[in-house]
Amino acid sequence: MHDLGKIAIPDSILLKPGRLSDEEYEVVKTHALLGARVLSGAASELLEVAERIVRHHHERWDGAGYPDGLAGEEIPAVARITAVADVFDVLVHERPYKDSWTVEAAAEEIREGAGTQFDPAVVEAFDALGPAGWRSEVQPV
Ligand SMILES: [Fe+2]
C-alpha cells in the first residue's frame, strides 16, 4: 500500500530492466505524492496514518530523501519504519532490474544505512528481530 502511487507510473518505467534515466527516476519519485493525494482528506485516523506512510516512505534520516526532504524525527515514525521494511523487502526479492539478495546481505545493507538513510533506532529494532523475525509467514501470491 505504501507504493499506491505507482498505479500512476507507466509500466515502461516500472518494469524496465536495467537502470532508469534521470528523467525516468524523476517520474518514479512522483509516486509518493501521487499516492498521498489519493489518501488525502480521509475522515479516518487509519487512512491519515497511511497517507503519512505513503508520502514519506522515501525520506531519508539525513534529509536527502523525497518528496519533502525531511530529516531525522521530522519524518513520521511510521514512515521511518516503513522505509527499513521497504528496502529490505525490495532487496530480498527479484526485480526486473536486479536479482534477489540473501537475507543476510540485505540485513547488512540495512545496518550500513543506519544514521544516513535510516533512523538508527529503527535499524536497531530491525536487527534485534534477527533472521527469524525478518521472514514473513505470508507467501507472495
Ligand atoms: Fe516507494
Side-chain angles (χ1 to χ4, degrees):
M1 183 166 169
H2 64 285
D3 275 337
L4 168 69
K6 284 190 176 171
I7 57 174
I9 309 298
D11 282 352
S12 60
I13 295 178
L14 287 182
L15 303 178
K16 181 181 173 182
R19 206 173 168 78
L20 298 181
S21 69
D22 290 349
E23 292 77 16
E24 289 167 334
Y25 184 52
E26 289 305 314
V27 173
V28 169
K29 285 165 68 176
T30 65
H31 81 278
L33 283 178
L34 291 171
R37 195 184 301 162
V38 171
L39 296 170
S40 69
S44 146
E45 193 178 328
L46 183 65
L47 289 179
E48 285 174 14
V49 172
E51 181 186 353
R52 286 196 287 278
I53 292 172
V54 168
R55 183 180 183 111
H56 296 297
H57 71 281
H58 288 289
E59 305 285 0
R60 290 175 50 109
W61 185 252
D62 61 11
Y66 64 88
D68 298 314
L70 301 182
E73 294 187 355
E74 293 174 340
I75 306 165
V78 287
R80 285 182 260 142
I81 294 167
T82 302
V84 169
D86 183 26
V87 170
F88 181 77
D89 178 67
V90 168
L91 291 176
V92 299
H93 289 98
E94 192 177 329
R95 287 287 188 273
Y97 54 88
K98 62 173 270 302
D99 291 331
S100 60
W101 292 27
T102 65
V103 164
E104 267 310 326
E108 187 54 31
E109 182 76 6
I110 297 294
R111 287 184 204 105
E112 287 175 14
T116 51
Q117 185 170 359
F118 306 120
D119 176 349
V122 174
V123 173
E124 199 178 315
F126 166 83
D127 222 10
L129 288 173
W134 302 333
R135 292 187 193 285
S136 169
E137 296 303 318
V138 180
Q139 295 302 311
V141 206

